[in-house]
Amino acid sequence: SQQGEEDPQALSIQEGENATMNCSYKTSINNLQWYRQNSGRGLVHLILIRSNEREKHSGRLRVTLDTSKKSSSLLITASRAADTASYFCATDRNNAGNMLTFGGGTRLMVKP
Amino acid sequence: DAGVTQSPTHLIKTRGQQVTLRCSPKSGHDTVSWYQQALGQGPQFIFQYYEEEERQRGNFPDRFSGHQFPNYSSELNVNALLLGDSALYLCASSSPWDGYEKLFFGSGTQLSVL
């Protein structure tokens, strides 16, 4: 079963616009991570936010975490065509990277 | 510095056959995890190997087994293949240097069961 559920399932925007993806999860977590996957191949780690953090930035990425609502959002600012990919949230319940539980992903298309 | 490498890239098998997939972790990484990703879905955790032993296992039947070698490389074996085993199989490695929190993924093996 999948812990996280992303919303929306698919998103299409123009280059330069911002993209926001949301993730909800069911159980308590130690950290939440976002990964990107191009064309159904390997996943690339983007950012990790711990349960005691509320917001984190990395370049054009901004992640928020609301543990009371069991939800997180990923914002990509000033999107580029190269950002076209699937984005997955993953929760780590035991803080040792032992068993990440992934959501179903958001498929983002950025049109040039 | 080579990242996580997986072989083969693609594989076609028939129902009932057995398959072995291979993974070499990123340099300096000692833990290997395997994930199954069905088309259009997120990856699902199969199991994780550390110090040549299975440390954690997801909700997969015993037909799925693995091994880790002294050089930290790993194999995933699937016996008695079913049509539903068709998926992208991803290997990921992690390092003690960042608390094993971040996973580095290989490009995967696309398995088709006919």
Side-chain angles (χ1 to χ4, degrees):
Chain A
S1 63
Q2 302 200 309
Q3 158 85 307
E5 293 297 332
E6 281 90 340
D7 168 56
Q9 291 187 340
L11 180 61
S12 181
I13 60 174
Q14 293 294 134
E15 210 166 25
E17 294 180 338
N18 295 340
T20 300
M21 288 158 267
N22 303 297
C23 167
S24 61
Y25 57 92
K26 299 173 185 173
T27 65
S28 61
I29 61 171
N30 282 297
N31 69 63
L32 184 145
Q33 305 178 34
W34 286 88
Y35 285 80
R36 185 180 81 181
Q37 185 177 40
N38 288 77
S39 304
R41 302 310 287 182
L43 283 79
V44 175
H45 181 271
L46 295 176
I47 194 165
L48 180 153
I49 186 165
R50 303 186 191 286
S51 60
N52 61 353
E53 298 175 312
R54 293 296 168 259
E55 187 171 313
K56 206 162 184 180
H57 296 256
S58 177
R60 295 184 296 113
L61 305 180
R62 172 178 168 255
V63 170
T64 62
L65 179 64
D66 187 334
T67 52
S68 67
K69 295 181 180 178
K70 292 187 170 58
S71 67
S72 173
S73 68
L74 171 68
L75 168 67
I76 304 174
T77 60
S79 63
R80 306 165 182 168
D83 294 329
T84 294
S86 291
Y87 292 82
F88 296 90
C89 69
T91 52
D92 182 356
R93 285 178 278 183
N94 61 15
N95 210 35
N98 283 344
M99 181 176 156
L100 288 186
T101 304
F102 285 84
T106 292
R107 278 149 281 283
L108 173 66
M109 175 173 288
V110 181
K111 300 175 184 176
Chain B
D1 176 24
V4 178
T5 59
Q6 291 187 244
S7 64
T9 306
H10 297 85
L11 203 52
I12 299 175
K13 292 286 188 178
T14 57
R15 279 183 300 173
Q17 286 189 313
Q18 178 264 344
V19 68
T20 298
L21 310 181
R22 295 176 176 81
C23 171
S24 292
K26 185 176 168 64
S27 178
H29 289 197
D30 60 7
T31 299
V32 173
S33 302
W34 287 91
Y35 287 80
Q36 181 196 65
Q37 185 178 24
L39 188 64
Q41 297 184 22
Q44 292 208 1
F45 177 78
I46 303 175
F47 42 53
Q48 184 185 71
Y49 277 84
Y50 171 72
E51 292 188 342
E52 302 180 47
E53 290 191 359
E54 183 183 292
R55 183 159 70 171
Q56 283 216 18
R57 188 179 184 93
N59 189 27
F60 279 80
D62 292 344
R63 297 187 297 110
F64 289 78
S65 63
H67 189 77
Q68 185 179 34
F69 300 93
N71 66 353
Y72 307 121
S73 67
S74 176
E75 288 182 349
L76 164 65
N77 301 294
V78 186
N79 294 323
L81 285 167
L82 303 174
L83 295 179
D85 294 332
S86 295
L88 180 67
Y89 288 84
L90 294 161
C91 170
S93 68
S94 51
S95 163
W97 303 111
D98 59 10
Y100 299 105
E101 289 180 334
K102 187 164 63 174
L103 297 184
F104 289 78
F105 282 85
S107 295
T109 294
Q110 185 66 55
L111 173 64
S112 298
V113 182
L114 305 178

